[in-house]
Amino acid sequence: MSGVASLSAGEHSACILTTAGGAKCWGANYYGEVGDGTDTLRKTPVDVVGLTSGVASVSVGWDHACAVTDDGVVKCWGKNGAGQLGAATSEECVGFPGLLPCSHVPVDVQGISPNSAVEVSAGRLHSCAVMTDGGVKCWGHGYFGELGDGVVPPPSGRIDAVDVSGLDARAVHVDVGSYHHSCALLEDGTVACWGDNAGGQTGPSSGASCAPKYEGCNIVPITVPLPQPATAVTLGSFFTCALLTSGDVSCWGNNYVGELGDGQACGTWTCGPVFVKNLHGNALAIASGSGHACAILAEGLKCWGDNSYGQIGDGNFTWNKNPYILPVSVILPPSGVEEIEGGWAFTCVRTEDGAGWCWGQNSTYQLAAETSEECLYGHRCSTTPIQALSEVKPTPTPSPTITPSPTPTRTPRPYLLGDPTCDGAINSVDAAVVLQFAGGLANAIVCPLNADVNGDSIVNAVDAALILQVTAGLLDRLAL
């Protein structure tokens, strides 16, 4: 893949902005997140309907994507169950008739007038944009305060963009996490965050309460106490990292899979920023996925955190009980790296020659290439960078500084949506477990991520009903 001006990686799909000013996407397309008017999985990049030119930037979230056009309009496409597209849509997602609205083509975001947006960031269930006046607007799911306007809307979210309140300076960049928090980089180098703070990912706690059973959130921006001014900020699922003026990287939030890169034991979390070790002040750019992060250095590229699907890029995969708690060197493409983006469990870079390279999970062809490796749970993957659209995997020269992690001997339980008991099957017992938790009869679920079937971040009777429909054969699949 060549002619890449910039790129963005999401949960199981990705998009590029071409040098001709068009948007192309590929990968999972259950909800129209590729934007080509279909729900067909795309193994290679295809044009987004109506955006073959005149596009300024593009951002991919979990199951939706957004773009800013040259005339400052924001358009979004994909899943719309929480209003994350910023407009009411009448299309129905495949496999969820009458339950999940979506759009297979771009729609204009309400509340953002022409010539007013300069940047957009798409997350799991919400999106945010930077305005020409330095303000930030957000829309979609706000149950955890991730819209930043001081109001907690119902689970259905908001389809009209609202102003983020309380920013102390003009915003120059906004990023939206893989779950439910947002951060803005301000022109004075400060970072302000808002939304879910259960893992300390938004920094200091305001003590506000949001959704039922969730008390850790900030419904308006909170300034993160960084040791130095920041030049970039990137968000994962439950952690955040900032690139500092010194070239160091500081991260805060959950450290369950080594996301903070400071060598701490896994299973810990911290509200305050800590320095990522072994970067030596040489970081030039940063990016993050759900549970991993990377930094472009003057002398190469390093990543740290979860490596269950080879998303670190050092030629290995290690399930999340054996993550990289310190940065390791990535096997580099033959041309120098200019840009990096992290998807849920994969990573992509743009090289100096305008080519795109990706590595990590490839279960829905999010790497835009054929791969034969298998990683965690038997998912297709590539543990080293592979050029997108290339069917012949290159053989890069390994870095001499790589220290492979031991191969785990224990087989983890599978991730299977609709299987909260993690026994590898979907049945009526799983529906009963969801109902017991929703009714307050159970305090916890063995595999909580498997319980939120419809992706609205609330485990309730609707999820149980969907599980029962699969058990009865009324639905073919469950897919977020």
Side-chain angles (χ1 to χ4, degrees):
M1 178 169 53
S2 59
V4 179
S6 66
L7 46 82
S8 180
E11 182 196 16
H12 290 119
S13 63
C15 297
I16 60 168
L17 174 65
T18 68
T19 51
K24 291 178 178 286
C25 301
W26 66 92
N29 201 19
Y30 299 118
Y31 311 105
E33 55 263 51
V34 169
D36 66 340
T38 77
D39 53 33
T40 303
L41 181 147
R42 297 299 183 183
K43 297 181 180 181
T44 59
V46 295
D47 290 327
V48 176
V49 174
L51 295 179
T52 55
S53 63
V55 180
S57 65
V58 63
S59 176
V60 185
W62 268 55
D63 301 306
H64 77 290
C66 297
V68 178
T69 63
D70 287 342
D71 56 3
V73 172
V74 180
K75 295 177 178 287
C76 299
W77 58 96
K79 190 163 78 170
N80 198 30
Q84 59 264 51
L85 302 190
T89 57
S90 57
E91 292 183 68
E92 294 179 349
C93 295
V94 173
F96 295 95
L99 293 174
L100 281 179
C102 49
S103 178
H104 296 83
V105 297
V107 296
D108 290 349
V109 173
Q110 298 179 17
I112 296 182
S113 57
N115 301 307
S116 62
V118 296
E119 183 192 56
V120 67
S121 180
R124 185 185 187 194
L125 295 173
H126 76 293
S127 311
C128 295
V130 178
M131 302 290 104
T132 53
D133 62 1
V136 176
K137 288 180 177 286
C138 298
W139 58 95
H141 191 275
Y143 218 36
F144 299 89
E146 57 264 55
L147 302 187
D149 65 339
V151 178
V152 179
S156 57
R158 286 185 175 156
I159 61 173
D160 57 323
V162 297
D163 292 316
V164 174
S165 61
L167 294 175
D168 295 331
R170 290 172 56 92
V172 296
H173 172 66
V174 67
D175 197 17
V176 175
S178 301
Y179 268 74
H180 305 297
H181 76 296
S182 315
C183 294
L185 173 66
L186 308 184
E187 62 180 359
D188 60 2
T190 59
V191 172
C193 299
W194 58 95
D196 184 17
N197 200 37
Q201 62 267 42
T202 62
S205 175
S206 66
S209 296
C210 296
K213 299 185 181 180
Y214 291 88
E215 296 184 355
C217 63
N218 292 321
I219 59 177
V220 294
I222 298 293
T223 299
V224 180
L226 295 173
Q228 302 164 17
T231 60
V233 64
T234 182
L235 281 62
S237 288
F238 300 104
F239 74 103
T240 308
C241 294
L243 174 60
L244 307 180
T245 53
S246 63
D248 292 302
V249 176
S250 184
C251 298
W252 58 96
N254 197 300
N255 202 26
Y256 183 74
V257 289
E259 301 99 310
L260 305 189
D262 65 340
Q264 289 189 34
C266 294
T268 64
W269 63 276
T270 175
C271 285
V274 296
F275 283 109
V276 177
K277 294 183 178 179
N278 300 340
L279 299 183
H280 310 298
N282 291 323
L284 304 175
I286 55 174
S288 61
S290 177
H292 75 290
C294 300
I296 298 176
L297 308 177
E299 70 277 12
L301 179 63
K302 288 190 176 183
C303 297
W304 60 94
D306 185 22
N307 194 35
S308 300
Y309 301 95
Q311 59 263 50
I312 295 298
D314 72 331
N316 299 282
F317 84 90
T318 56
W319 69 295
N320 61 16
K321 292 296 183 182
N322 297 281
Y324 290 111
I325 60 177
L326 291 171
V328 298
S329 295
V330 175
I331 297 175
L332 293 173
S335 182
V337 174
E338 288 193 340
E339 181 188 10
I340 185 166
E341 278 285 318
W344 181 72
F346 67 107
T347 310
C348 293
V349 297
R350 175 176 57 85
T351 53
E352 293 173 348
D353 57 0
W357 294 73
C358 299
W359 60 93
Q361 190 185 50
N362 197 32
S363 57
T364 58
Y365 291 92
Q366 54 265 59
L367 306 188
E370 294 284 351
T371 58
S372 58
E373 287 184 78
E374 290 187 356
C375 290
L376 193 62
Y377 312 140
H379 283 288
R380 288 191 306 269
C381 68
S382 178
T383 59
T384 59
I386 180 171
Q387 188 169 7
L389 300 185
S390 171
E391 295 188 4
V392 179
K393 188 171 181 179
T395 307
T397 301
S399 167
T401 60
I402 294 173
T403 303
S405 293
T407 301
T409 56
R410 177 182 170 190
T411 302
R413 291 176 173 177
Y415 172 82
L416 179 63
L417 195 62
D419 177 27
T421 58
C422 265
D423 63 358
I426 300 175
N427 51 41
S428 58
V429 174
D430 298 299
V433 168
V434 169
L435 286 174
Q436 289 177 15
F437 178 78
L441 301 178
N443 295 323
I445 293 177
V446 175
C447 293
L449 287 179
N450 293 355
D452 181 20
V453 173
N454 66 350
D456 64 354
S457 301
I458 301 171
V459 177
N460 55 26
V462 174
D463 300 298
L466 289 169
I467 292 172
L468 287 174
Q469 289 181 47
V470 171
T471 302
L474 300 177
L475 282 179
D476 292 332
R477 66 185 181 201
L478 294 173
L480 278 178

